[in-house]
């Protein structure tokens, strides 16, 4: 049995949100693969997103931002640890609590891969229910996850170290 903490603040698209995202995707002329590439995430994450599956808030908002969409009340479903069924978020919803999180994308060179892998292994331990993607063919990484406030300093140090190993990177807190 795993003692891994589960993310209780995951969010997903509502049916209205799925329609709006599909329209925005078509307007940009992007395939799911192109959107995944622009977002430095996997096609499987994009497919889950388009089905309304729950994602980390950092990943959810990043995907929306790439399509130049802002989150509105009717677009997202939210799960809390007291309610396992999806509900529509509104500005009056007080059950949503912001959890610190990080989203990082970057490009790397083959010669730094062993050091990057060691750093990612350490980061995996610090983040709660993280998703870390390492694409050797494209030389790209994506890291996103949430963390308890008490790990923030360690995570910032680890992300700083990782940024120094990468050719280019973008971090969103």
């Amino acid at each position: 049995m795993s003692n891994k903490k589960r993310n209780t603040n995951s969010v997903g698209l509502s049916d209205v949100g799925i329609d709006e995202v599909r329209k925005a995707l078509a307007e940009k002329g992007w395939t799911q693969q192109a959107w995944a590439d622009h977002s430095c995430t996997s096609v499987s994450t994009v497919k889950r997103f388009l089905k309304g599956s729950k994602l980390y808030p950092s990943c959810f908002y990043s995907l929306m931002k790439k399509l130049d969409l802002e989150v509105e009340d009717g677009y997202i479903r939210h799960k809390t640890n007291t309610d396992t069924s999806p509900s529509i978020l509104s500005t009056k919803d007080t059950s949503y609590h912001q959890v610190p999180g990080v989203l990082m994308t970057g490009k790397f060179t083959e010669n730094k891969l062993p050091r990057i892998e060691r750093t990612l292994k350490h980061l995996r331990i610090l983040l709660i229910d993280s998703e870390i993607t390492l694409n050797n063919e494209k030389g790209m990484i994506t890291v996103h996850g949430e963390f308890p406030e008490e790990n923030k300093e360690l995570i910032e140090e680890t992300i700083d170290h990782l940024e120094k190993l990468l050719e280019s990177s973008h971090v969103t807190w």
Side-chain angles (χ1 to χ4, degrees):
M1 183 164 96
S2 172
N3 55 358
K4 187 177 177 183
K5 293 181 183 177
R6 300 303 279 155
N7 178 5
T8 58
N9 289 319
S10 55
V11 289
L13 288 170
S14 66
D15 292 340
V16 171
I18 291 169
D19 291 342
E20 291 299 315
V21 165
R22 287 188 185 281
K23 285 179 198 171
L25 200 54
E27 286 173 14
K28 284 204 176 265
W30 286 354
T31 63
Q32 290 178 6
Q33 180 66 58
W35 187 21
D37 291 345
H38 284 282
S39 303
C40 294
T41 193
S42 65
V43 174
S44 62
T45 298
V46 167
K47 286 181 179 183
R48 287 194 324 271
F49 184 76
L50 289 170
K51 287 183 195 173
S53 297
K54 305 296 188 290
L55 302 176
Y56 298 106
S58 57
C59 184
F60 178 91
Y61 292 107
S62 175
L63 286 166
M64 292 289 281
K65 185 176 180 180
K66 286 294 178 185
L67 292 178
D68 300 320
L69 291 174
E70 292 185 21
V71 177
E72 295 186 13
D73 293 346
Y75 285 12
I76 62 176
R77 289 189 276 207
H78 175 70
K79 184 182 94 175
T80 65
N81 55 0
T82 57
D83 179 13
T84 58
S85 62
S87 61
I88 300 294
L89 267 187
S90 73
T91 55
K92 297 174 187 162
D93 187 348
T94 58
S95 64
Y96 182 76
H97 302 286
Q98 190 74 25
V99 176
V102 63
L103 170 64
M104 177 183 202
T105 57
K107 289 189 170 251
F108 63 90
T109 56
E110 185 79 27
N111 63 328
K112 295 191 179 174
L113 187 57
R115 292 171 55 199
I116 290 170
E117 287 174 331
R118 282 193 300 274
T119 306
L120 291 175
K121 183 177 179 182
H122 179 68
L123 199 54
R124 225 179 235 115
I125 294 167
L126 295 173
L127 293 171
I128 299 170
D129 212 15
S130 63
E131 185 172 325
I132 297 176
T133 306
L134 185 67
N135 185 328
N136 287 337
E137 288 178 19
K138 294 183 180 179
M140 295 177 66
I141 66 164
T142 304
V143 174
H144 60 86
E146 296 170 349
F147 54 88
E149 190 65 42
E150 60 268 16
N151 284 359
K152 184 174 183 172
E153 189 174 320
L154 282 170
I155 288 173
E156 286 175 342
E157 290 172 7
T158 306
I159 292 290
D160 285 343
H161 178 71
L162 189 55
E163 280 186 294
K164 291 173 186 168
L165 295 172
L166 298 171
E167 285 186 329
S168 64
S169 64
H170 179 76
V171 179
T172 304
W173 295 96

